[in-house]
Amino acid sequence: MAQETTKEFAIRLDLAILRSPRAPTESYGRLTWLMQDLKARTGLKVSVNAVHKWAHGMSRPREDTIRKIAQVLEVDDRWLSMGHMPDMATTRPVEESAAQARGATLVAAGLIEMSGGRVAFAKDGSTMQVNLAGKQFNLMALAPQSDTGPTAFIIPEPVGDARVLGVVLLGKRGGGVGVELLDLTLAKRQRMGGFSVVQAAENGGKFEPLRDLKELVAS
């Protein structure tokens, strides 16, 4: 049970760092930034090794330390500690903090419209209503968690009847940028209080990319 708790804490910590507008945009250097910010803003001195263990599910900080981490990342300490908040407990509006999720949504929306579909965004920006190939459905688009691998995704819950689409940036190819789309709707998820985690390792080792967005309608 302790092992599961440290793993869940690591995922919440990763999500909180990802959603912090003050954290480095690249995954490299985020843990060092957290260590330095803890010292600067709360006076707490911790080692790089300790932060590394928290982030990789190898250990869990004390409750007083968790409260200081929550202060730095501007999230609810009860959520960070035990995942007890249903909305991931961010104290800032989603539109101000979820840059990667917003980017994935915009990429997916653009590709849908280029495929002849139409998109209307939900007020909170978490989902969009899609009209594609004569079918209407709700869609949630997500970017992968860079610190846990290109095929690991954190999904805000509840998803409801929305389809879940993973948007993976493949990097430069012949002067351009490649994008891979993954239908995560029926993938196996680990549910963890307010969000769930999808990993390729638990879904046969990989996800099959969509060849055509209209596969979302057919599946």
Side-chain angles (χ1 to χ4, degrees), residues 109 113 118-123 127-131 137-139:
E113 297 207 338
R118 293 292 179 267
V119 170
F121 295 98
K123 288 183 179 180
T127 60
M128 51 184 145
Q129 187 177 68
V130 177
N131 190 323
F137 55 94
N138 294 321
L139 181 69

Side-chain angles (χ1 to χ4, degrees), residues 119-176:
V119 170
F121 295 98
K123 288 183 179 180
D124 64 3
S126 62
T127 60
M128 51 184 145
Q129 187 177 68
V130 177
N131 190 323
L132 180 65
K135 299 288 183 67
Q136 289 189 352
F137 55 94
N138 294 321
L139 181 69
M140 177 182 291
L142 302 165
Q145 293 297 107
S146 57
D147 287 345
T148 52
T151 50
F153 297 82
I154 291 179
I155 303 175
E157 296 287 355
V159 171
D161 62 356
R163 302 199 68 84
V164 183
L165 184 69
V167 181
V168 181
L169 193 64
L170 299 178
K172 294 181 179 179
R173 288 187 170 185

Side-chain angles (χ1 to χ4, degrees), residues 43 67-68 72 86 89 92 119 129 151 155-156 163 187 190-191 203 218:
R67 284 192 290 272
K68 291 181 179 179
V72 167
R92 300 174 310 278
V119 170
Q129 187 177 68
T151 50
I155 303 175
R163 302 199 68 84
Q190 301 176 42
R191 297 189 181 274
N203 288 272

Side-chain angles (χ1 to χ4, degrees), residues 2-175:
Q3 213 171 22
E4 181 185 13
T5 301
T6 58
K7 182 178 180 182
E8 290 179 2
F9 175 81
I11 293 172
R12 288 194 296 273
L13 177 63
D14 184 59
L15 180 59
I17 293 174
L18 178 66
R19 286 175 166 264
S20 172
R22 299 174 54 255
T25 55
E26 299 295 329
S27 59
Y28 180 79
R30 285 179 182 167
L31 300 185
T32 300
W33 165 81
L34 178 59
M35 177 192 70
Q36 293 173 343
D37 230 34
L38 278 169
K39 181 180 178 181
R41 299 185 67 190
T42 71
L44 178 65
K45 297 180 181 180
V46 294
S47 67
V48 174
N49 186 49
V51 178
H52 177 87
K53 287 182 176 180
W54 302 340
H56 292 84
M58 299 166 63
S59 69
R60 175 187 172 90
R62 300 182 314 184
E63 289 302 313
D64 58 335
T65 298
I66 289 177
R67 284 192 290 272
K68 291 181 179 179
I69 296 171
Q71 176 185 336
V72 167
L73 298 178
E74 299 178 45
V75 296
D76 186 273
D77 60 284
R78 293 169 298 171
W79 169 78
L80 186 60
S81 178
M82 298 302 295
H84 283 168
M85 300 295 286
D87 61 354
M88 290 181 294
T90 178
T91 58
R92 300 174 310 278
V94 171
E95 62 268 25
E96 292 181 3
S97 59
Q100 285 190 319
R102 183 170 62 237
T105 299
L106 293 175
V107 168
L111 292 173
I112 289 168
E113 297 207 338
M114 289 177 68
S115 299
R118 293 292 179 267
V119 170
F121 295 98
K123 288 183 179 180
D124 64 3
S126 62
T127 60
M128 51 184 145
Q129 187 177 68
V130 177
N131 190 323
L132 180 65
K135 299 288 183 67
Q136 289 189 352
F137 55 94
N138 294 321
L139 181 69
M140 177 182 291
L142 302 165
Q145 293 297 107
S146 57
D147 287 345
T148 52
T151 50
F153 297 82
I154 291 179
I155 303 175
E157 296 287 355
V159 171
D161 62 356
R163 302 199 68 84
V164 183
L165 184 69
V167 181
V168 181
L169 193 64
L170 299 178
K172 294 181 179 179
R173 288 187 170 185

Side-chain angles (χ1 to χ4, degrees), residues 188-205:
K188 295 179 181 178
R189 306 181 199 175
Q190 301 176 42
R191 297 189 181 274
M192 297 182 178
F195 64 93
S196 59
V197 180
V198 172
Q199 294 181 314
E202 297 178 3
N203 288 272

